[in-house]
Amino acid sequence: MRAALGAIAALLALAAPAAALAKNAPPAKAKIAAPAAKPFFPPEPPPPPPQLHGIQYLYGSAEAAALTRQTWRMLADFVDEQVASGTHRGVVLTPDSSLTNPHFIPCGDKPPAIVLDVDETSILNLGAEYDDLIANRRVFDADVWDRWEKSGAAYVAPTPGAKETLDRLRDHGVTVIFNSNRAVMNAAGAEAALNAAGLGPARHGETLFLSGDDANGSLKDGRRQLIAAKFCVLAMAGDQLVDFSDLFKTEPNGIAARRATVAYSGIVDMWGAGWFVMPNPVYGSGVQGGPDDIFPKDKQWRDPGSSQPAISKLQPATQLKKAN
Amino acid sequence: MRAALGAIAALLALAAPAAALAKNAPPAKAKIAAPAAKPFFPPEPPPPPPQLHGIQYLYGSAEAAALTRQTWRMLADFVDEQVASGTHRGVVLTPDSSLTNPHFIPCGDKPPAIVLDVDETSILNLGAEYDDLIANRRVFDADVWDRWEKSGAAYVAPTPGAKETLDRLRDHGVTVIFNSNRAVMNAAGAEAALNAAGLGPARHGETLFLSGDDANGSLKDGRRQLIAAKFCVLAMAGDQLVDFSDLFKTEPNGIAARRATVAYSGIVDMWGAGWFVMPNPVYGSGVQGGPDDIFPKDKQWRDPGSSQPAISKLQPATQLKKAN
């Protein structure tokens, strides 16, 4: 907690009342009453944005680093075991699949590969998140993000454990393919970011697929099927459900319905066994909804002893990034 | 996104300008000028708290549900494999261990067990988090939390996948033991919460250990060593580093140092192989620090095209729960 307490102390100091500051006023001359110290109130700092704890957790915490290393390690173990055992079960859904009746594109003799999302799965966009926080930016700014895609390569880092896992799987003959919703016109920037993070080689059209590669815009299924036609896709990783199937987009939506979807009998056994989820409490389809959306009616406890009144509404939490 | 957009729309409507509301004014009588519509400004709703996105993610998102199921599933597979292969490697550190030179309490012929943290590892404290959000509570209130420990049992849920994994491992002869920093005087409430979530039996002193059971307060190593003296602890799960070892508390602190700790050579291979981390971007030691603590200096990108000025300070993000 030392860091946090330090920051708080600094801010409290910043907000020191006039009395404290007046101590630095020159001593009053004898017989002349000292002028009352002019009250000084520094401007109120802006409130922290709703994503602050998510940012602290994802980019700063040892807990998120351990959780991410755990996931990469399990992905590597899973793929190695599939290759060793010769099981080779594909994990990309067929076009005729539904989430309640899923089928997977078979592997045949195709060479083994894994398919990874880029942002907040393979790399952490440290620079862009720092800029959002410092600018106290509360709505997604497509122009800023476009400049980030073009020029941010030196300001990213691999997610903890990503490099070790990718190096290990490549050594074992597994092709690493990235499937991202970064824009095709910024392909050079996407390649540069992945290579700068030590996760390359990433070559657009070969091992990197982007939004605009086909006519389906941000939908990733077409790109997944293209990849699965050439490779035996043994594992996929992403921070958003759409990194595994676009079907999650067309399912009955709403918070509770989405949350139930991942436990469908045909899908529930994929998590940690072909489909690997990375944490992202900062942006995307995981951060939405108000109290009545998030908390089931029968779990809405009110503290009987609390003096604090209920507030009817909060300002809406704005979406800072498109889910990709 | 529908839910989120709905909420935003509702709030925008709430903030509709006078002109719009004036449409409901009676039509002006002929020859008499209509009185200017009296401007109406509804009270500004409070800004969302800094933990809102963390709450949305952890308690509402399908992504967090999938990530948690993935982790429980891998814990179960890991423990079953240890039992089947007869490896039986203990995962509780010996008292003379350091994080750079870790040793583990051997299993001998002791019966297999797993040791789990309770809050935001085995159960989700839905009721308490709803109450914090609705009351817009921005600082941890020990009295509210005490009432929650005593009376919240009906308002919790198991973390997604917890019940399936605990049922499966108990069927396989593994004892499930909870090690929590809930207060010993609220033992009945802790047992009730775990049983209500379907994760019992939890019996204080047998399969449930709490803060106050020994003289070490919230430090969990003493309780871990007590458990490891009787059981072969094959896996531990928690949302905080101190759920695995109190040594993480005494390590050189600060954001970057903590984050580096989990990659120590003696420790890095434990994540996903004996030590299993659950996500918690809402409270605890993972949510602390300001921009300069979170983001390395060489990753602090500023958008060259942005019109938004940098803000020197944010209001400090307050800690809502003690790390346990």
Side-chain angles (χ1 to χ4, degrees):
Chain A
M1 289 294 109
R2 215 174 301 154
L5 295 178
I8 292 170
L11 284 155
L12 295 180
L14 181 74
L21 299 172
K23 282 178 184 161
N24 302 328
K29 291 204 187 67
K31 299 239 161 55
I32 304 176
K38 202 169 175 197
F40 167 70
F41 300 108
E44 182 81 359
Q51 73 274 21
L52 179 61
H53 283 198
I55 288 173
Q56 290 172 315
Y57 181 78
L58 184 57
Y59 302 107
S61 81
E63 283 78 5
L67 174 54
T68 306
R69 287 185 177 280
Q70 161 180 294
T71 305
W72 278 119
R73 179 222 166 84
M74 294 184 296
L75 183 150
D77 289 349
F78 177 84
V79 170
D80 274 345
E81 192 191 330
Q82 288 271 307
V83 171
S85 68
T87 312
H88 290 210
R89 185 172 63 99
V91 298
V92 173
L93 291 172
T94 58
D96 66 344
S97 286
S98 69
L99 291 178
T100 49
N101 186 21
H103 304 284
F104 297 94
I105 297 175
C107 275
D109 298 334
K110 290 173 277 189
I114 59 173
V115 175
L116 312 173
D117 174 51
V118 172
D119 297 305
E120 276 53 52
T121 295
S122 301
I123 63 172
L124 296 175
N125 288 291
L126 296 170
E129 293 300 331
Y130 173 80
D131 188 60
D132 277 347
L133 190 57
I134 285 295
N136 206 21
R137 192 175 292 117
R138 284 154 191 265
V139 288
F140 175 67
D141 184 325
D143 297 331
V144 176
W145 184 253
D146 181 66
R147 287 187 288 266
W148 170 252
E149 285 191 358
K150 289 180 164 69
S151 65
Y155 299 87
V156 304
T159 53
K163 183 168 170 41
E164 296 85 332
T165 284
L166 270 52
D167 290 348
R168 169 179 156 186
L169 290 179
R170 283 181 172 129
D171 285 348
H172 298 178
V174 176
T175 300
V176 175
I177 299 173
F178 300 96
N179 187 8
S180 169
N181 276 336
R182 287 189 174 216
V184 67
M185 79 276 286
N186 294 334
E191 288 181 350
L194 287 162
N195 294 332
L199 303 183
R203 292 193 199 84
H204 181 221
E206 296 173 32
T207 53
L208 172 64
F209 295 84
L210 299 166
S211 182
D213 279 341
D214 60 21
N216 304 326
S218 68
L219 296 176
K220 290 183 166 183
D221 278 349
R223 287 174 256 155
R224 274 186 280 263
Q225 288 155 16
L226 189 79
I227 296 162
K230 292 190 202 164
F231 292 93
C232 169
V233 180
L234 295 172
M236 297 195 287
D239 63 310
Q240 308 286 327
L241 291 188
V242 290
D243 293 325
F244 305 98
S245 170
D246 293 332
L247 290 171
F248 287 109
K249 246 185 183 144
T250 57
E251 277 298 299
N253 219 322
I255 302 293
R258 285 189 83 242
R259 197 159 162 104
T261 307
V262 301
Y264 284 176
S265 60
I267 294 301
V268 68
D269 287 333
M270 296 303 295
W271 310 116
W275 293 0
F276 294 84
V277 185
M278 298 292 177
N280 185 358
V282 178
Y283 65 84
S285 51
V287 291
Q288 58 172 304
D292 287 335
D293 308 304
I294 301 166
F295 298 100
K297 271 268 169 285
D298 66 338
K299 301 300 181 188
Q300 296 184 356
W301 182 76
R302 289 316 317 277
D303 171 34
S306 177
S307 56
Q308 278 165 290
I311 54 166
S312 59
K313 292 279 179 199
L314 292 168
Q315 280 179 24
T318 49
Q319 187 65 10
L320 245 89
K321 296 274 189 314
K322 60 185 176 302
N324 63 352
Chain B
M1 289 292 110
R2 217 175 300 156
L5 294 178
I8 292 169
L11 286 155
L12 294 180
L14 182 73
L21 299 171
K23 282 179 185 161
N24 301 328
K29 293 207 186 66
K31 298 237 161 56
I32 304 177
K38 203 170 173 195
F40 167 71
F41 299 107
E44 182 82 358
Q51 73 274 20
L52 179 61
H53 283 199
I55 288 173
Q56 290 172 317
Y57 181 79
L58 184 57
Y59 302 107
S61 81
E63 283 78 4
L67 174 55
T68 306
R69 288 187 177 279
Q70 160 180 295
T71 305
W72 279 119
R73 178 224 167 83
M74 294 185 294
L75 183 150
D77 289 349
F78 177 84
V79 170
D80 274 345
E81 192 191 329
Q82 288 271 308
V83 171
S85 67
T87 311
H88 289 212
R89 186 173 63 100
V91 298
V92 172
L93 291 172
T94 57
D96 65 343
S97 286
S98 70
L99 290 178
T100 49
N101 187 21
H103 305 286
F104 298 93
I105 296 175
C107 275
D109 297 334
K110 290 173 277 187
I114 58 173
V115 174
L116 312 173
D117 173 50
V118 173
D119 297 305
E120 276 53 53
T121 295
S122 301
I123 63 172
L124 296 175
N125 288 292
L126 296 171
E129 292 300 330
Y130 173 80
D131 189 59
D132 277 348
L133 189 58
I134 286 294
N136 206 22
R137 192 175 292 117
R138 286 154 189 264
V139 288
F140 175 67
D141 185 326
D143 296 332
V144 176
W145 185 253
D146 181 65
R147 287 187 289 267
W148 171 251
E149 285 191 359
K150 287 181 164 69
S151 65
Y155 298 87
V156 304
T159 53
K163 181 169 172 39
E164 296 85 333
T165 284
L166 269 53
D167 290 348
R168 169 178 158 187
L169 291 179
R170 283 181 171 127
D171 285 349
H172 297 179
V174 176
T175 301
V176 175
I177 300 173
F178 301 96
N179 187 9
S180 170
N181 276 336
R182 287 189 175 217
V184 67
M185 78 276 287
N186 293 335
E191 287 180 352
L194 286 162
N195 294 332
L199 303 183
R203 293 194 198 83
H204 181 221
E206 296 173 32
T207 53
L208 173 63
F209 295 85
L210 299 166
S211 182
D213 280 340
D214 60 20
N216 304 328
S218 67
L219 295 176
K220 290 183 167 183
D221 278 348
R223 287 174 255 155
R224 275 185 279 263
Q225 288 155 16
L226 189 79
I227 296 162
K230 292 190 203 162
F231 292 93
C232 169
V233 180
L234 294 172
M236 296 195 288
D239 62 311
Q240 308 287 326
L241 291 190
V242 290
D243 293 325
F244 305 98
S245 169
D246 293 331
L247 290 171
F248 287 109
K249 245 185 184 145
T250 56
E251 277 298 298
N253 219 322
I255 302 294
R258 284 190 82 244
R259 197 160 162 104
T261 306
V262 302
Y264 285 176
S265 60
I267 293 301
V268 68
D269 288 333
M270 296 304 294
W271 309 117
W275 292 1
F276 295 84
V277 185
M278 299 292 176
N280 185 358
V282 177
Y283 66 84
S285 52
V287 291
Q288 60 172 302
D292 287 335
D293 307 305
I294 301 166
F295 297 100
K297 270 268 168 286
D298 67 338
K299 301 300 181 188
Q300 296 183 356
W301 183 75
R302 290 315 317 276
D303 170 34
S306 177
S307 56
Q308 280 165 286
I311 54 166
S312 59
K313 293 280 178 198
L314 292 169
Q315 281 179 23
T318 50
Q319 186 65 9
L320 246 92
K321 294 273 187 316
K322 59 184 177 299
N324 64 353

